[in-house]
Amino acid sequence: SQTIHQWPATLVQPVGSPLSLECTVEGTSNPNLYWYRQAAGRGLQLLFYSVGIGQISSEVPQNLSASRPQDRQFILSSKKLLLSDSGFYLCAWSPDSLNTEAFFGQGTRLTVV
Amino acid sequence: AQKITQTQPGMFVQEKEAVTLDCTYDTSDPSYGLFWYKQPSSGEMIFLIYQGSYDQQNATEGRYSLNFQKARKSANLVISASQLGDSAMYFCAMREGLSSGSARQLTFGSGTQLTVLP
């Protein structure tokens, strides 16, 4: 069966520090991968998606970047965090199918102080 | 324009009663899928139910059913016999088809916070 792992679960980082959140998927190949961000009490905003290794599309220009160095690995990064980067970050994967739900990781709660 | 609209920021329902959470969507793609997720306070996203644009019948999954009105572009979630454990944030989401050129990403609404009262 397929599983998705996302870590860390919580993170407190000072302003200006770098960020690296990692997400890996097991039990499937060539998944579509996504990074979402959720502000407190709000909906999910798509940040990045990837349909294959090295293929990254950005939905919202900002202080973050994403990379997909391996088929089932998706990394969210920042060189210098801003206060506004605080939020709940969710990694997700889905097969390339219209009628299948996306499967989410447990999320990372990031607080920039 | 918003692709998914959830107009109810918060809803209350008495335990054992039914509740309807509203969702309207906007797409020009003839092929799309609609999803509902539940997010408890722990933050995990739990998939509840799916409705395809070409499905003739409304989807049902246990106590969850989807009132799909294609002409009105609405996909309301109905929870029957509410339980205390149903208290959570509920999100409606849409995935558009090939003609949109998308990577199958889900677009989410802003959510509805449901509270079940004892």
Side-chain angles (χ1 to χ4, degrees), chain A residues 34 36 38 98-100 102, chain B residues 31 37 39 50 95 103-104 106:
Chain A
Y34 314 95
Y36 287 89
Q38 185 180 23
L98 179 65
N99 63 353
T100 306
Chain B
S31 181
Y37 281 83
Q39 187 182 42
Y50 164 82
R95 173 178 285 145
R104 312 286 196 192
L106 288 176

Side-chain angles (χ1 to χ4, degrees), chain A residues 32 34 36 38 41-46 49-51 59 88 90 93-106 109, chain B residues 31-33 35 37 39 41-45 47 50 53 89 91 95-98 101-111:
Chain A
N32 290 342
Y34 314 95
Y36 287 89
Q38 185 180 23
R42 305 289 296 276
L44 277 70
Q45 178 188 37
L46 180 66
Y49 65 87
S50 171
V51 298
E59 286 291 299
F88 189 54
L90 286 155
W93 79 272
S94 74
D96 191 28
S97 167
L98 179 65
N99 63 353
T100 306
E101 71 269 27
F103 302 90
F104 285 83
Q106 294 298 302
R109 211 166 290 278
Chain B
S31 181
Y32 53 89
F35 303 79
Y37 281 83
Q39 187 182 42
S41 56
S42 60
E44 61 182 312
M45 295 290 286
F47 166 71
Y50 164 82
S53 58
M89 192 75 145
F91 291 101
R95 173 178 285 145
E96 293 173 286
L98 283 172
S102 72
R104 312 286 196 192
Q105 66 264 33
L106 288 176
T107 301
F108 285 83
S110 55

Side-chain angles (χ1 to χ4, degrees), chain A residues 56-102:
Chain A
I56 308 294
S57 295
S58 172
E59 286 291 299
V60 182
Q62 56 203 313
N63 186 41
L64 302 168
S65 62
S67 62
R68 185 171 178 173
Q70 300 180 46
D71 181 43
R72 288 168 289 179
Q73 184 184 27
F74 205 24
I75 298 172
L76 182 69
S77 304
S78 173
K79 292 182 179 177
K80 288 186 178 182
L81 284 168
L82 306 172
L83 287 174
S84 57
D85 291 324
S86 294
F88 189 54
Y89 289 81
L90 286 155
C91 180
W93 79 272
S94 74
D96 191 28
S97 167
L98 179 65
N99 63 353
T100 306
E101 71 269 27

Side-chain angles (χ1 to χ4, degrees), chain B residues 7-9 13 17 25 27 31-34 39 47 54 63 67 70 79 93 95 98 100 106 110 116-117:
Chain B
T7 57
Q8 305 154 315
V13 64
E17 292 187 351
Y25 59 92
T27 181
S31 181
Y32 53 89
L34 297 159
Q39 187 182 42
F47 166 71
Y54 294 120
R63 293 187 300 111
N67 183 2
K70 194 170 182 176
I79 305 175
R95 173 178 285 145
L98 283 172
S100 72
L106 288 176
S110 55
V116 180
L117 304 171

